[in-house]
């Protein structure tokens, strides 16, 4: 049997969910026997190919996040929303109580110790959205794995059950939102 | 089961006394029915709808439905757990329940009930309310974006503390908790953290200042065992990780 292809990415995430994947430790050797990684922060693949599973960390906070998320949806049979940010917007969504103007001016105009204060406006820089959103408000999601981050044990339970076609059943201590 | 009246709850006989609700009888019998706005020290409120059970096949709130001899009550069935998940998802999207940044996480009954019914993620669009935090009181802070309108603080302050500090204002989606003073500030009231009202909140809406993140992860109230084993946050003594008094 050919290996399943898996892609991962971080949108408005902190890479903590990916660190939690690395917390699988030696179970990573078992994992790479089962799957092959396509585009991911842990590979050098620049453009996502057709994959069986896509794992998304982080909410949607800027235009590039929307673009990458839609590409993942178009290329992955199964798309997984991993971690509090992808599921709820998470801590970055705490900026939703302020306007984007307030956030940018606080950081780039009125912040302490700034020299030549200005809001970055180069077209290379993706524009921020007015609010941070969970990813299921942008594309359809097939599975949710909560936690900030989910523990390696929860990720392992989830992935092994998913890859073997079993229903997903996390134990009590593996299901948490914090 | 001699002459004592009883009903069945998930096929188990539950005895009751005249005038008890299904929730009260189940509680005395040690059977857990998920709930948030119910607290045995207060009259039932019927707002959270999490205690929904099927009574003779019909959905009813266990906290407000009187126990009747011979009635057939179902609670731990997938159909009801699915409805409860939906109700909890509505509560989560209506507020800003960012558990990773909340001092109540791990000892929050809203979160614990969501774990109990297996909620993975809210399916609905987030409201992201923008209510202003009230930190005017020297000993307590209120984040109105975490309030689920159970009105336990309203009931406790009015009926037990005799202070009438809290109220709910407006209707429909605009309904929200307010402080019952002209300034609308908690600091302008006689509210004290020894009040009953300071100890009944099932979420992280009312917090005692300078007490956050004291319990190590793994030892918090609902870290190891679910809410049906541990009990309500307001009913568990501080020595066992429950609500702090003072």
């Amino acid at each position: 049997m050919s290996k399943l292809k898996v892609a991962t990415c971080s949108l408005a995430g902190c890479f903590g969910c990916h660190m939690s994947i690395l917390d699988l430790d030696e179970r990573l050797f078992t994992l790479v026997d089962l799957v092959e990684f396509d585009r991911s922060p842990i590979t050098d693949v620049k453009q996502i190919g057709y994959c069986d599973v896509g794992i998304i960390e982080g909410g949607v906070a800027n235009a590039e996040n929307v673009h990458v998320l839609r590409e993942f949806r178009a290329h992955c049979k199964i798309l997984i929303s991993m971690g509090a940010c992808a599921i709820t917007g998470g801590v970055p969504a705490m900026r939703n109580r302020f306007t984007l103007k307030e956030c940018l001016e606080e950081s780039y105009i009125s912040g302490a110790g700034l020299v030549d204060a200005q809001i970055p406006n180069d077209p290379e820089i993706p524009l921020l959205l007015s609010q941070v959103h969970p990813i299921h408000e942008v594309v359809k999601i097939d599975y949710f794995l909560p936690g900030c981050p989910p523990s390696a044990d929860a990720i392992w339970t989830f992935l092994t059950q998913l890859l073997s076609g079993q229903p997903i059943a996390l134990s009590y201590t593996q299901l948490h939102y914090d | 089961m001699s002459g004592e009246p009883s009903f069945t709850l998930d096929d188990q006989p539950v005895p009751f006394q005249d005038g008890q609700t299904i929730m009260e009888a189940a509680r005395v019998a040690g059977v857990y029915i998920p709930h948030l706005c119910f607290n045995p020290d207060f009259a039932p409120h019927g707002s959270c709808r999490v205690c929904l059970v099927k009574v003779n096949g019909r959905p009813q709130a266990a906290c407000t439905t009187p126990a009747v001899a011979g009635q057939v009550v179902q609670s731990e069935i997938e159909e009801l757990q699915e409805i409860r998940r939906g109700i909890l998802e509505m509560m989560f999207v209506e507020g800003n329940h960012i558990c990773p940044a909340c001092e109540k996480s791990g000892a929050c009954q809203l979160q614990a009930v969501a774990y109990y019914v297996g909620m993975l993620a809210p399916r609905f669009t987030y409201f992201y309310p923008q209510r202003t935090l009230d930190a005017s009181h020297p000993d307590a802070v209120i984040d109105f974006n975490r309030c689920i309108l159970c009105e336990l603080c309203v009931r406790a302050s009015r009926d037990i503390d005799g202070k009438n500090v809290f109220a709910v204002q407006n209707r429909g989606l605009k309904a929200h908790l307010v402080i019952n003073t002209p300034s609308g500030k908690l600091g302008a009231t006689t509210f004290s953290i020894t009040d009953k009202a300071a100890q009944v909140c099932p979420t992280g809406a009312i917090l005692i200042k300078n007490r956050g993140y004291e319990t190590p992860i793994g030892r918090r109230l609902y870290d190891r065992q679910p809410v049906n084993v541990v009990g309500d946050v307001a009913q568990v003594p501080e020595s066992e990780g429950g609500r702090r008094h003072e």
Side-chain angles (χ1 to χ4, degrees), chain B residues 32-224:
Chain B
Y32 175 74
I33 298 175
H35 56 269
L36 287 168
C37 72
F38 170 80
N39 177 314
D41 297 342
F42 299 93
H45 195 245
S47 64
C48 78
R49 313 316 284 179
V50 170
C51 70
L52 196 75
V53 291
K54 275 192 151 184
V55 183
N56 296 335
R58 190 179 165 198
Q60 304 256 260
C63 71
T64 56
T65 305
V68 174
Q71 71 194 160
V72 177
V73 182
Q74 294 166 289
S75 175
E76 293 292 308
I77 55 174
E78 180 51 28
E79 178 191 344
L80 289 175
Q81 299 291 45
E82 173 57 27
I83 294 173
R84 290 170 182 150
R85 279 197 289 276
I87 292 167
L88 284 154
E89 289 169 25
M90 291 184 216
M91 290 183 190
F92 272 80
V93 300
E94 278 178 24
N96 294 335
H97 297 285
I98 302 172
C99 302
C102 179
E103 294 156 56
K104 200 67 182 293
S105 192
C108 167
Q109 204 171 326
L110 174 68
Q111 187 189 59
V113 174
Y115 292 161
Y116 178 76
V117 300
M119 187 190 94
L120 293 176
R123 288 163 281 184
F124 311 116
T125 303
Y126 283 82
F127 285 29
Y128 294 124
Q130 302 187 13
R131 300 186 195 104
T132 306
L133 195 100
D134 184 347
S136 60
H137 192 279
D139 304 318
V141 62
I142 300 191
D143 186 341
F144 296 99
N145 301 305
R146 294 173 183 159
C147 172
I148 58 167
L149 297 177
C150 69
E151 294 195 28
L152 276 167
C153 60
V154 177
R155 291 179 270 166
S157 184
R158 180 189 62 211
D159 303 337
I160 294 183
D161 304 326
K163 293 183 179 178
N164 212 9
V165 166
F166 301 97
V168 170
Q169 194 174 65
N170 289 342
R171 291 169 191 266
L173 283 177
K174 290 183 176 168
H176 64 101
L177 188 71
V178 291
I179 310 300
N180 218 356
T181 59
S183 69
K185 291 290 178 197
L186 189 65
T189 69
T190 56
F191 179 79
S192 152
I193 54 170
T194 56
D195 288 355
K196 181 80 172 171
Q199 295 150 21
V200 291
C201 181
T203 77
I206 302 178
L207 291 172
I208 310 302
K209 279 187 181 176
N210 307 315
R211 305 287 306 255
Y213 307 115
E214 286 185 321
T215 311
I217 288 169
R219 297 225 307 261
R220 299 171 306 180
L221 190 59
Y222 299 115
D223 273 346
R224 289 181 185 144

Side-chain angles (χ1 to χ4, degrees), chain A residues 99-112:
Chain A
T99 64
L100 187 56
K101 190 165 182 282
E102 285 174 313
C103 294
L104 288 168
E105 287 180 353
E106 177 65 25
S107 297
Y108 292 109
I109 303 293
S110 54

Side-chain angles (χ1 to χ4, degrees), chain A residues 32-51:
Chain A
V32 293
D33 284 339
L34 298 169
V35 306
E36 180 190 336
F37 280 94
D38 194 86
R39 175 181 166 168
S40 166
I42 60 171
T43 70
D44 201 26
V45 180
K46 303 287 192 277
Q47 290 293 327
I48 185 173
Y50 286 98
C51 291

Side-chain angles (χ1 to χ4, degrees), chain A residues 125-177:
Chain A
I125 301 167
L127 290 173
L128 290 167
L129 307 182
S130 61
Q131 289 204 314
V132 178
H133 295 273
I135 64 173
H136 66 268
E137 289 184 5
V138 179
V139 297
K140 179 180 185 299
I141 296 299
D142 300 294
Y143 292 95
F144 295 92
L145 179 55
C148 185
S151 65
D153 281 344
I155 293 170
W156 187 244
T157 300
F158 181 91
L159 288 178
T160 50
Q161 288 172 343
L162 183 76
L163 295 176
S164 63
Q166 290 173 273
I168 310 293
L170 299 174
S171 70
Y172 181 75
T173 52
Q174 290 175 345
L175 171 60
H176 59 91
Y177 307 145

